Amino acid sequence: MQHSLSSQIGLLLRFAQAAVWGDLLDTFKPFGFRPQHYAALKIVDSKPGCKQQDLGGALGISRSNLVMLIDELVEQKLIERRQNLEDRRSNALHLSARGRALLPELDRGQQAHEGRLASLLEEGEQEILVALLRKLGKLRKLDVT
Amino acid sequence: MQHSLSSQIGLLLRFAQAAVWGDLLDTFKPFGFRPQHYAALKIVDSKPGCKQQDLGGALGISRSNLVMLIDELVEQKLIERRQNLEDRRSNALHLSARGRALLPELDRGQQAHEGRLASLLEEGEQEILVALLRKLGKLRKLDVT
DNA sequence: TATTGTTATACTCTATAACTATA
DNA sequence: TATAGTTATAGAGTATAACAATA
């Protein structure tokens, strides 16, 4: 083999993602939740009235595992499950006033995290990284049932 | 927030790593093990007589969780735990003849995997990706106890 | 006193299957 | 018959704490 272990993309990706995810976990721990909670709030904020499964694809979480995630946000009174009058099987998700008020603070946390990332990268590398990661994601369509 | 959710590096990294890792899992499943098993074999091959914890840092696995991983390789008679005469606390890991014979086949699997990755990337992008992932990894020293 | 390997255990994540209510 | 949400549970992966042997 021509490649040394430390250049294998699989392991490198694993370590990089562990590092970045760990920083994100620390970022949102003070608020009592994980990066997915923040991402869920952002989606509901941009798509008021969306149904739970709309979050599934964006977050890579199955509908059964979404339930608990949303439960936790409901418990903290940050989002609400309202009735969808057009299709009563689904819930219409909305941010509460409390959730809306909390978002800017969470955004600052996210920005601080992104700042730490940016400090590791040269100018323009962030965009390159995003493009490359998108390409890698194509290796496998994650089908979130 | 100026960023759309799909450009957040944290989630993108998560999805990319899930995709690549999934492909790696499929790659080594026919042999009855996971990517870490292959990585461990490669390390022992390049550092005959190394001790178990030498694998820890390279694989990001704690010494307690390494035990089972190595157990599995020993069960398949691919590596051997020999006595380290200089320090009898540690084991000296060696590939068995069977393990050595299996490596080329595993390497072909790994190369097929890398080929699938390469088909997603333009010329030279793989090297850029490796450099960027290394930088991101610096965000957090994973201390494998 | 510190280190290597080991064991046992707890905890988190994710996956799966079955159920209900609606469509 | 299919879909949205829910529940319960199993499994994998990881983390933690204690122990024996050796240094």
Side-chain angles (χ1 to χ4, degrees):
Chain A
M1 285 289 283
Q2 63 281 34
H3 295 302
S4 93
L5 206 57
S6 58
S7 71
Q8 286 184 17
I9 289 182
L11 278 176
L12 275 179
L13 248 181
R14 201 168 158 78
F15 296 155
Q17 113 83 206
V20 172
W21 197 253
D23 191 85
L24 270 174
L25 285 173
D26 290 348
T27 298
F28 293 111
K29 180 173 281 180
F31 301 98
F33 48 67
R34 283 164 289 143
Q36 294 102 321
H37 292 109
Y38 172 66
L41 289 178
K42 294 297 283 183
I43 293 172
V44 175
D45 183 47
S46 67
K47 286 196 206 172
C50 68
K51 54 189 188 178
Q52 295 188 189
Q53 290 198 154
D54 290 339
L55 308 188
L59 302 179
I61 303 180
S62 68
R63 86 201 133 110
S64 60
N65 289 328
L66 267 175
V67 174
M68 196 165 42
L69 186 78
I70 297 176
D71 279 350
E72 290 157 355
L73 292 170
V74 169
E75 275 165 30
Q76 296 199 35
K77 300 209 190 307
L78 299 174
I79 73 173
E80 299 166 1
R81 284 184 175 106
R82 297 187 195 155
Q83 229 184 37
N84 181 342
L85 300 175
E86 284 148 20
D87 183 343
R88 293 186 316 195
R89 291 174 300 185
S90 65
N91 298 323
L93 300 179
H94 291 272
L95 287 189
S96 70
R98 188 152 176 266
R100 215 162 6 251
L102 185 61
L103 264 191
E105 199 175 341
L106 298 173
D107 287 341
R108 280 194 292 279
Q110 170 72 17
Q111 279 165 348
H113 160 75
E114 291 182 11
R116 289 189 288 278
L117 281 188
S119 74
L120 296 173
L121 303 176
E122 308 292 325
E123 192 67 25
E125 286 186 335
Q126 193 149 337
E127 289 71 19
I128 296 173
L129 178 65
V130 166
L132 293 177
L133 292 178
R134 285 228 178 86
K135 289 184 179 183
L136 291 183
K138 285 179 194 154
L139 192 57
R140 177 170 294 236
K141 64 298 148 213
L142 62 129
D143 38 21
V144 175
T145 320
Chain B
M1 283 291 282
Q2 64 281 35
H3 293 304
S4 93
L5 206 56
S6 60
S7 71
Q8 286 184 16
I9 288 181
L11 279 176
L12 275 178
L13 248 181
R14 201 168 159 77
F15 296 155
Q17 114 82 208
V20 171
W21 197 253
D23 190 85
L24 271 174
L25 285 172
D26 290 348
T27 297
F28 293 111
K29 179 171 282 179
F31 301 98
F33 49 66
R34 283 165 290 141
Q36 293 101 323
H37 292 109
Y38 172 65
L41 289 177
K42 294 297 284 183
I43 293 171
V44 175
D45 183 48
S46 68
K47 288 196 204 171
C50 68
K51 55 188 186 179
Q52 297 188 188
Q53 289 200 154
D54 289 339
L55 308 188
L59 302 179
I61 302 179
S62 68
R63 88 201 131 109
S64 60
N65 289 328
L66 267 175
V67 174
M68 196 165 42
L69 186 78
I70 297 176
D71 279 350
E72 290 158 355
L73 292 169
V74 170
E75 277 165 29
Q76 297 198 36
K77 301 209 191 308
L78 299 175
I79 73 175
E80 297 165 3
R81 283 185 174 105
R82 296 187 197 154
Q83 227 184 40
N84 181 343
L85 300 174
E86 284 148 20
D87 183 343
R88 292 187 317 195
R89 292 174 300 184
S90 64
N91 298 323
L93 299 178
H94 291 273
L95 286 189
S96 68
R98 188 151 176 268
R100 215 162 6 251
L102 185 60
L103 263 191
E105 200 175 340
L106 298 174
D107 287 341
R108 279 194 293 279
Q110 170 74 17
Q111 279 164 350
H113 161 75
E114 291 182 10
R116 288 188 290 276
L117 281 188
S119 73
L120 295 173
L121 303 177
E122 308 291 326
E123 192 67 25
E125 288 186 334
Q126 194 148 336
E127 289 71 19
I128 295 173
L129 179 64
V130 166
L132 293 178
L133 292 177
R134 285 229 179 85
K135 289 185 179 184
L136 292 183
K138 285 179 195 155
L139 191 57
R140 176 171 296 237
K141 63 300 147 212
L142 62 131
D143 38 20
V144 177
T145 321

